[in-house]
Amino acid sequence: MAGEKEIKEIYENGMKILEELTSNAHEIQEQMLEEILIRNAGTEYLSRFFVHGQNHKQNFKTNVPIVTYEDIKPYIDRIANGETSSILFADPITQFIQSTGTSEGKPKLIPMTAESFEKRMVKPLLVDLVMKKCISGLDQGKSFYLFFVKPEMETPSGLMASLYTTSYFKSQIFKNGLAKFCTSPIDTILCLDNKQSMYCQLLTGLLLRDEVVRIGSSFASVLARSIKFLEDYWKELCSNIRTGYLSDWIADPACRNAMSSILTRPEPELADLIQQICEDKSWEGIIKELWPEVKCISCIVTGSMSQYIPLLEFYGGGIPLVSPNCGSSEACFGINLKPLSKPFDVSYTILPNMAYFEFLPVNNDGGGMSREFELRGASATESSESTNETTTVNKPVDLANVKIGRYYEVVVTTLAGLYRYRVGDVLKVTGFYNKSPQFQFV
């Protein structure tokens, strides 16, 4: 697992790394697919599609079917129940990521190897580097991020399954890296009681308000929920600050111990100031009032999270709203290289070393793949009466051949046993950064 030396290297050379990745996007993609096939052609799943071991890239694209989770669920279930991971991947599966989607009413289990997990850990470091480059002052204070974990589940094989964010916050690369710049002590983030975790993180953020230069969370919905929690508990939080004593109902030992080094004395003047701000009838600009040094609000606000943009802009009082990156449980997609873009103008740049990407053309309105394509896996032609333009829905194209303005569904082949897997997300290509596509979610 990456340590302090590797983290330092990323921060020192991160922009150079990004330039190399995006300038050689197609070559990196082809190398990645070739490496995946060399490693895994002998697995039970892939070997069925290669006659006489001919595991060339073109054979892969011709013979290996595009699948959904239901197609590969039997193989994943076998690994979860104790069979060897070589069913799907040559390297050992070390854990499962629980997707927020469901299959048969249960979270989907996405396999992960040590290598694939560590590769994903690099993305937050690159995101942080881009933000610090584009927004001055972020390296001169702390980040008030509201992060939470959920319980892990043990599969019959003994492998653990958890949300990606839970695995990330428990990782050494987070503890050795970004956690050091966060206001919240790691023990408050890892507390499984989300109410106690929320309270302690908000209390710490208020106590360190003058040091906070960035506020955010993983998703806009979490940040909106945190502001609502603050509305309900600000009086009690002020009481803790005024007296220097933590509320008795915070019973988690790790949380209490962590807070003992932060809530060290009564601060009546700070409590009075926070009370004066929170007593205002309107909470418009409340974030700017409580944390006057904040340079940006950082959380994913695209896709389904866009519904929270007006609310966060109301609370923010003019603070830039940044949507830093995007991805799914199955794979990382890309990062926002222009973090100060308006929320509805955000485009993400594909990181070509995170997975092998293919793109299924969909209808011009981005509304979905044609029914004919889904049934036959062949090409289909449809007309758009509103534009008098004919759109051809063909076989998937690779990263180098997507077209600006067109809509595609993402298909990924990963470092951990997903082959031509339909993620389900539809995106619109908005341009290129060097040779890597940029896109918006539909």
Side-chain angles (χ1 to χ4, degrees):
M1 188 62 69
E4 293 187 10
K5 182 179 179 181
E6 290 81 356
I7 293 170
K8 182 180 179 182
E9 183 178 352
I10 291 170
Y11 274 115
E12 289 178 348
N13 301 302
M15 298 311 297
K16 181 180 178 181
I17 291 171
L18 279 172
E19 287 298 316
E20 291 176 349
L21 285 175
T22 54
S23 296
N24 302 289
H26 180 62
E27 292 82 356
I28 291 170
Q29 284 278 277
E30 292 301 304
Q31 291 169 7
M32 172 165 284
L33 179 57
E34 184 174 359
E35 181 180 350
I36 291 172
L37 294 181
I38 289 173
R39 286 194 197 184
N40 305 300
T43 60
E44 177 182 326
Y45 181 84
L46 278 183
S47 62
R48 299 176 301 148
F49 306 112
F50 298 129
V51 180
H52 305 303
Q54 295 177 348
N55 57 327
H56 304 301
K57 288 180 285 186
Q58 191 54 51
N59 293 119
F60 173 83
K61 296 176 182 180
T62 301
N63 299 335
V64 177
I66 294 173
V67 298
T68 65
Y69 184 79
E70 294 304 323
D71 297 315
I72 61 169
K73 182 177 182 297
Y75 299 93
I76 293 175
D77 286 346
R78 286 168 59 189
I79 297 172
N81 288 325
E83 290 192 50
T84 174
S85 60
S86 61
I87 293 170
L88 285 174
F89 196 75
D91 292 346
I93 301 296
T94 55
Q95 63 175 308
F96 293 101
I97 298 298
Q98 289 180 304
S99 169
T100 51
T102 62
S103 176
E104 299 178 357
K106 299 178 181 179
K108 297 176 182 178
L109 296 180
I110 307 302
M112 190 70 60
T113 67
E115 178 187 11
S116 62
F117 183 74
E118 185 165 347
K119 183 177 284 288
R120 292 186 70 157
M121 296 299 98
V122 173
K123 184 189 72 170
L125 300 180
L126 293 176
V127 167
D128 189 58
L129 188 68
V130 170
M131 290 185 65
K132 286 180 177 177
K133 181 178 182 292
C134 297
I135 304 173
S136 62
L138 290 187
D139 56 352
Q140 298 172 4
K142 289 185 174 290
S143 298
F144 176 28
Y145 278 129
L146 290 143
F147 290 144
F148 304 94
V149 299
K150 291 192 175 181
E152 296 176 291
M153 176 188 77
E154 184 174 0
T155 64
S157 66
L159 295 174
M160 302 304 293
S162 64
L163 295 179
Y164 168 72
T165 49
T166 295
S167 292
Y168 172 55
F169 298 142
K170 295 181 73 172
S171 71
Q172 285 303 123
I173 198 167
F174 175 69
K175 295 175 183 177
N176 292 336
L178 298 183
K180 293 184 177 181
F181 305 102
C182 292
T183 55
S184 301
I186 189 67
D187 286 330
T188 64
I189 294 173
L190 298 181
C191 176
L192 289 174
D193 186 319
N194 284 174
K195 183 179 178 181
Q196 293 187 58
S197 174
M198 175 84 79
Y199 189 91
C200 291
Q201 291 190 62
L202 282 169
L203 180 56
T204 304
L206 291 170
L207 286 165
L208 302 178
R209 66 186 292 267
D210 291 331
E211 299 179 46
V212 173
V213 295
R214 171 169 41 179
I215 187 171
S217 191
S218 300
F219 299 98
S221 58
V222 177
L223 188 54
R225 188 166 68 247
S226 300
I227 299 297
K228 178 61 171 65
F229 189 97
L230 180 61
E231 285 189 79
D232 294 337
Y233 283 89
W234 68 263
K235 291 181 181 179
E236 186 174 348
L237 289 162
C238 284
S239 176
N240 287 183
I241 295 170
R242 181 172 287 107
T243 63
Y245 288 102
L246 185 64
S247 295
D248 291 338
W249 64 270
I250 304 298
D252 182 84
C255 279
R256 293 200 70 89
N257 182 60
M259 295 306 298
S260 67
S261 62
I262 298 173
L263 185 64
T264 57
R265 68 185 188 279
E267 296 193 50
E269 292 183 1
L270 176 59
D272 289 345
L273 176 59
I274 294 171
Q275 178 178 337
Q276 181 181 354
I277 294 171
C278 292
E279 280 180 337
D280 197 307
K281 291 182 180 180
S282 172
W283 270 37
E284 184 174 3
I286 189 70
I287 293 175
K288 192 176 183 66
E289 292 292 323
L290 288 174
W291 295 280
E293 301 302 318
V294 165
K295 313 297 182 187
C296 68
I297 299 170
S298 175
C299 54
I300 295 174
V301 295
T302 51
S304 62
M305 293 293 114
S306 63
Q307 62 185 298
Y308 297 99
I309 291 174
L311 184 64
L312 294 183
E313 289 182 332
F314 175 82
Y315 287 138
I319 299 172
L321 190 56
V322 174
S323 192
N325 63 87
C326 67
S328 68
S329 302
E330 293 84 0
C332 295
F333 293 164
I335 63 177
N336 180 3
L337 296 182
K338 294 182 177 180
L340 290 176
S341 300
K342 297 294 184 182
F344 288 108
D345 296 331
V346 168
S347 287
Y348 301 104
T349 301
I350 291 278
L351 293 177
N353 64 329
M354 290 295 173
Y356 180 73
F357 295 98
E358 295 176 275
F359 302 88
L360 285 169
V362 299
N363 301 328
N364 265 10
D365 60 0
M369 189 176 304
S370 74
R371 179 63 176 164
E372 190 172 0
F373 183 97
E374 289 201 67
L375 290 175
R376 298 194 294 115
S379 62
T381 301
E382 297 183 357
S383 297
S384 171
E385 294 181 1
S386 60
T387 61
N388 294 320
E389 178 183 352
T390 299
T391 301
T392 302
V393 182
N394 291 315
K395 61 184 181 180
V397 299
D398 60 21
L399 175 147
N401 292 308
V402 296
K403 304 298 183 184
I404 296 175
R406 297 287 181 86
Y407 296 85
Y408 301 90
E409 181 183 352
V410 186
V411 175
V412 297
T413 296
T414 72
L415 293 165
L418 298 182
Y419 305 103
R420 311 196 86 187
Y421 177 96
R422 288 175 60 174
V423 176
D425 290 313
V426 174
L427 54 84
K428 177 184 178 182
V429 176
T430 56
F432 284 82
Y433 181 80
N434 293 328
K435 295 184 179 180
S436 191
Q438 296 178 304
F439 63 90
Q440 295 176 336
F441 281 108
V442 176

